[in-house]
């Protein structure tokens, strides 16, 4: 008989003792990656579509995608623990799984620090928490270096093109704005009311960003940068940069690679202005 469902929200302090588990299902790419980083890879028996890192994740059975989750299959697999994306997986189905007695760990990092905290929380389900603790420590150390290096540098205005058709960006403190902020990036759409607003080229031109970022997915079409003419400082100075999509858009330990990449690009922009 299963114990009552345990929903672990991503909080700075976690006081409930967890126990090692034998089988885990992950319902999002970022929780799959986090599980491996926390030393839980050998316990994963199924995952969502696009769970493609590390390489071993590609062999897992698929039980979720953007349309929803395969409820009957998950129930049949009887996992000891389900890793879910808070706000990303359908709430109705997740509530039903909890009612059936499944233990659910919800992840929705709202800050870079939350990535390290989540690793430590997940480590409590591993046979040993050492790998999770090491991963969290490495992430914090590299993040601290970036912050100390860039805390006093000149702010740089940027536009992040999340997709090109339609043109979508990110606003406010919504992910991954935190990554750009570490390096002194100032989002030209930070004050937008929508979390991920659809915007026009004219709106970007009015705001005159010093640099434009696109992801490797959004920029898969080589012509993506052709939309930007010589009406922007970023275009005139060739400050158009492509960042690795999975590093930036998934809140995982590899996010630090995106931060390091973006910091280098913004330092190039600052140097060119001298």
């Amino acid at each position: 008989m299963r114990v009552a469902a345990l929903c672990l929200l991503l909080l700075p302090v976690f006081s409930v003792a967890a126990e090692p588990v034998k089988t885990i299902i992950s319902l999002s790419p970022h929780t799959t990656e986090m599980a491996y980083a926390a030393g839980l890879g050998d316990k994963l028996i199924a995952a969502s579509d696009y769970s493609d890192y590390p390489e071993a994740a590609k062999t897992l059975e698929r039980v979720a995608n953007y349309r929803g989750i395969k409820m009957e299959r998950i129930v049949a697999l009887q996992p000891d623990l389900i890793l879910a994306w808070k706000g990303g997986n359908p709430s109705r189905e997740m509530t039903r799984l909890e009612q059936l007695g499944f233990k659910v760990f919800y992840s929705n990092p709202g800050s870079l620090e939350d990535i390290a905290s989540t690793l430590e929380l997940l480590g409590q389900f591993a046979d040993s928490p050492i790998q999770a603790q090491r991963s969290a420590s490495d992430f914090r150390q590299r993040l601290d270096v970036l912050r100390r290096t860039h805390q006093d540098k000149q702010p740089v205005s940027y536009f992040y093109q999340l997709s090109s058709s339609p043109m979508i960006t990110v606003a406010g403190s919504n992910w991954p704005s935190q990554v750009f902020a570490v390096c002194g990036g100032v989002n030209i759409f930070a004050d937008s009311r929508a979390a991920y607003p659809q915007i026009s080229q004219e709106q970007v031109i009015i705001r005159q960003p010093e640099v434009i970022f696109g992801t490797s997915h959004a920029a898969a079409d080589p012509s993506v940068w052709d939309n930007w003419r010589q009406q922007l400082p970023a275009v005139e100075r060739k400050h158009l940069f492509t960042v690795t999509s999975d590093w930036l858009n998934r809140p995982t330990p590899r996010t630090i690679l995106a931060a390091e990449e973006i910091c280098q690009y913004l330092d190039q922009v600052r140097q060119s202005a001298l």
Side-chain angles (χ1 to χ4, degrees), residues 7 55 57 77 79 86 90 105 107 142 171 185 187 195 199 217 220 257 265:
C7 303
E55 192 68 23
L77 288 171
K86 191 71 173 180
F105 180 103
S107 171
R142 292 169 71 175
N187 187 355
I199 47 88
H217 288 168
L257 297 175
Y265 287 141

Side-chain angles (χ1 to χ4, degrees), residues 91-197:
S91 58
R92 182 177 179 180
E93 283 85 346
M94 296 312 304
T95 298
R96 181 57 180 153
L97 287 171
E98 292 170 21
Q99 291 172 342
L100 290 171
F102 288 98
K103 183 184 297 185
V104 181
F105 180 103
Y106 287 107
S107 171
N108 186 26
S111 70
L112 290 166
E113 291 82 358
D114 286 343
I115 293 175
S117 299
T118 301
L119 286 169
E120 291 170 334
L121 296 181
L122 286 172
Q124 298 180 73
F125 297 109
D127 296 330
S128 168
I130 293 177
Q131 182 174 333
Q133 291 169 353
R134 287 176 176 170
S135 296
S137 177
D138 177 69
F139 185 89
R140 289 193 179 104
Q141 289 176 9
R142 292 169 71 175
L143 178 60
D144 182 61
V145 168
L146 288 180
R147 284 189 167 142
R148 286 189 286 105
T149 302
H150 292 84
Q151 62 184 353
D152 296 322
K153 291 190 176 181
Q154 180 69 28
V156 179
S157 64
Y158 74 90
F159 166 59
Y160 173 43
Q161 184 172 312
L162 183 58
S163 69
S164 56
S165 184
M167 191 179 293
I168 295 175
T169 189
V170 61
S173 60
N174 299 286
W175 197 272
S177 296
Q178 301 88 336
V179 184
F180 295 95
V182 168
C183 312
V186 179
N187 187 355
I188 63 170
F189 287 101
D191 59 353
S192 176
R193 293 182 180 180
Y196 298 94

Side-chain angles (χ1 to χ4, degrees), residues 12-274:
V13 178
F14 179 59
S15 58
V16 180
E19 297 180 355
V21 298
K22 293 182 178 180
T23 58
I24 300 174
I25 286 177
S26 171
L27 301 181
S28 77
H30 95 264
T31 53
T32 301
E33 187 171 334
M34 292 286 276
Y36 278 99
L40 299 171
D42 60 338
K43 301 176 185 292
L44 282 166
I45 58 173
S48 66
D49 284 359
Y50 301 106
S51 290
D52 54 10
Y53 187 87
E55 192 68 23
K58 296 179 180 179
T59 66
L60 296 171
E61 178 180 346
R62 304 306 182 187
V63 292
N65 55 39
Y66 70 92
R67 293 187 295 270
I69 63 178
K70 299 178 181 178
M71 179 71 70
E72 292 184 2
R73 183 55 181 158
I74 293 172
V75 172
L77 288 171
Q78 289 288 295
D80 296 321
L81 179 67
I82 297 173
L83 308 181
W85 176 16
K86 191 71 173 180
N89 293 124
S91 58
R92 182 177 179 180
E93 283 85 346
M94 296 312 304
T95 298
R96 181 57 180 153
L97 287 171
E98 292 170 21
Q99 291 172 342
L100 290 171
F102 288 98
K103 183 184 297 185
V104 181
F105 180 103
Y106 287 107
S107 171
N108 186 26
S111 70
L112 290 166
E113 291 82 358
D114 286 343
I115 293 175
S117 299
T118 301
L119 286 169
E120 291 170 334
L121 296 181
L122 286 172
Q124 298 180 73
F125 297 109
D127 296 330
S128 168
I130 293 177
Q131 182 174 333
Q133 291 169 353
R134 287 176 176 170
S135 296
S137 177
D138 177 69
F139 185 89
R140 289 193 179 104
Q141 289 176 9
R142 292 169 71 175
L143 178 60
D144 182 61
V145 168
L146 288 180
R147 284 189 167 142
R148 286 189 286 105
T149 302
H150 292 84
Q151 62 184 353
D152 296 322
K153 291 190 176 181
Q154 180 69 28
V156 179
S157 64
Y158 74 90
F159 166 59
Y160 173 43
Q161 184 172 312
L162 183 58
S163 69
S164 56
S165 184
M167 191 179 293
I168 295 175
T169 189
V170 61
S173 60
N174 299 286
W175 197 272
S177 296
Q178 301 88 336
V179 184
F180 295 95
V182 168
C183 312
V186 179
N187 187 355
I188 63 170
F189 287 101
D191 59 353
S192 176
R193 293 182 180 180
Y196 298 94
Q198 181 175 331
I199 47 88
S200 67
Q201 191 175 89
E202 288 72 22
Q203 289 175 292
V204 177
I205 292 172
I206 289 172
R207 288 167 173 78
Q208 293 285 289
E210 297 172 81
V211 57
I212 297 176
F213 288 100
T215 66
S216 49
H217 288 168
D221 178 358
S223 66
V224 67
W225 297 126
D226 293 344
N227 293 326
W228 302 106
R229 306 303 177 189
Q230 304 299 316
Q231 304 175 74
L232 294 169
V235 178
E236 294 172 359
R237 297 163 189 164
K238 295 181 171 40
H239 293 161
L240 305 174
F241 302 113
T242 300
V243 293
T244 305
S245 306
D246 293 345
W247 292 358
L248 180 60
N249 294 331
R250 296 180 186 178
T252 72
R254 290 194 297 166
T255 297
I256 200 66
L257 297 175
E260 290 169 346
E261 186 176 45
I262 289 168
C263 285
Q264 289 179 358
Y265 287 141
L266 292 183
D267 283 341
Q268 287 181 35
V269 173
R270 295 184 181 100
Q271 186 64 32
S272 68
L274 297 178

